[in-house]
Amino acid sequence: MDYSQMCPKYEHAIELLGKRWTGLIIRVLLDGPKRFKDIKAQIPDMSDRILTERMKELEQQAIVARSVFPEKPVRIEYSLTEKGLALEPVIESIQSWSENWT
């Protein structure tokens, strides 16, 4: 098979999901909506700056939704969109592969 002309959609998906921490963020959010501090608590080695960057990227790609609740203090939660939830079998496949091969 000739991969010299890679499908642009596949290439985009791999670039997005292959970024460090992105898969872990999606995995954490598969358990339901989380606040920034809760995501950070589950991925403690990731810096706040990187988490902020990844969340913005995922939000721009419509994989993550940011909800602001007008409470005192204001509460912000992140959750997977329908597009993000559709990644669940992909994430589970990677988990299964990693358990068998790494």
Side-chain angles (χ1 to χ4, degrees), residues 26-71:
I26 293 169
R27 183 138 178 90
V28 166
L29 290 175
L30 281 169
D31 289 335
K34 302 270 186 300
R35 295 175 78 167
F36 187 93
K37 67 181 179 85
D38 299 324
I39 298 168
K40 181 74 173 83
Q42 290 192 34
I43 313 172
D45 292 340
M46 180 177 40
S47 71
D48 288 358
R49 182 184 64 79
I50 294 294
L51 178 54
T52 300
E53 279 180 25
R54 293 297 180 271
M55 296 309 287
K56 285 180 182 175
E57 291 168 1
L58 292 169
E59 196 175 353
Q60 287 170 349
Q61 295 295 320
I63 291 172
V64 168
R66 182 178 183 266
S67 301
V68 180
F69 298 92
E71 302 169 353

